[in-house]
Every structure is written in C-alpha cells, then in structure tokens.
C-alpha cells in the first residue's frame, strides 16, 4: 500500500463540559499504517484504537478508562478518529465523550474532540503511537467535578 509508513506530528485535544472552562492542549502524535492498510493507534497507556484504510480514509475507534478518583465514578471514554491520507500527510478529527458522577449525585458529561496532522517520516510499520493526551486533557474536567 502506498500509504504505509510512520507519520509524526501533533494533535490538539479540547475537553468541553457545561459550566466548566474548556481545556485545550496540543500533544505529539505518531501514526503508523501497515502495508495492508491496517491502522492501529496505541497510546502510552496501551489503549488501542484500530481501523482500516478504505481508499485514503480511515476510522479508528477505541476506549480507555480514567485513573480512579476518590468519590467520582466515570464511564469509559470512547473515541473515534477519522482521518485522510493525502500524499505524505495524514490529517483528521476525533471525538468522544465521558460522563462522571460524584458522591453527591452531580453528573457532568464532557465532550472530547480535536484535530490531528502528521507527516510521513519512515517506511512501513505496523503500529501507531500517540501521547497520553486524552487522559491529560481530561484531568481538568475530573478535578472540576470533584470540587462540586
């Protein structure tokens, strides 16, 4: 496959929830596409987001859980990445959500969204690495619900 290889660049993650200031951060990203069109995204915690190229497009989906926080319960965070390969660049968007509830019964749902762009830096490989950006960006959201 002509798109096979490793791509490096950045992703910008925004966490939004009603009544809580948005948190936006930018992180390094590394993307790999296999010679048969497989896309596997593995973050530093070992979470995998998997997908397959269809033409020049892919969708990769996966879930992770936030670290335990006293008196707060959160749903797993499921994210879907949608990307397009154009020449030696991959770019796209991702989105998902998480809901957390504190012991007083206050619930808050946050959306996690962002964009990513990466440029091919090496020949074909079989995995995709990106920073632990979602957990870091969600930290402010979880701390805020803990104060309520």
């Amino acid at each position: 496959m002509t798109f096979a290889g490793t791509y490096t660049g950045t992703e910008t993650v925004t966490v939004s929830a009603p009544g809580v200031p948005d948190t936006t951060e930018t992180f390094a990203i590394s993307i790999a596409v296999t010679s048969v069109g497989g896309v596997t995204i593995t973050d530093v915690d070992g979470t995998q987001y998997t997908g397959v190229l269809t033409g020049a497009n892919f969708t990769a989906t996966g879930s992770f859980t936030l670290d335990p926080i006293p008196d707060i319960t959160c749903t797993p965070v499921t994210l879907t990445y949608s990307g397009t390969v154009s020449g030696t660049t991959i770019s796209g968007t991702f989105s998902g959500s998480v809901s957390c509830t504190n012991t007083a019964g206050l619930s808050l749902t946050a959306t996690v969204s962002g964009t990513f762009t990466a440029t091919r830096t090496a020949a074909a490989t079989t995995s995709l690495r990106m920073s632990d950006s979602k957990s870091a960006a969600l930290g402010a959201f979880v701390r805020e619900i803990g104060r309520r």
Side-chain angles (χ1 to χ4, degrees), residues 27-114:
F27 303 91
I29 187 171
S30 176
I31 304 172
V33 177
T34 68
S35 60
V36 294
V39 177
T40 301
I41 303 170
T42 305
D43 69 21
V44 295
D45 290 330
T47 304
Q48 293 189 331
Y49 303 85
T50 58
V52 176
L53 279 170
T54 302
N57 302 306
F58 71 90
T59 300
T61 302
S63 298
F64 66 95
T65 55
L66 298 174
D67 291 336
I69 300 165
D71 302 324
I72 298 175
T73 303
C74 297
T75 62
V77 182
T78 299
L79 296 178
T80 300
Y81 284 76
S82 298
T84 301
V85 184
S86 178
T88 60
T89 301
I90 295 178
S91 59
T93 61
F94 58 91
S95 63
S97 64
V98 61
S99 294
C100 294
T101 304
N102 67 13
T103 54
L106 175 66
S107 293
L108 223 69
T109 297
T111 59
V112 181
S113 61

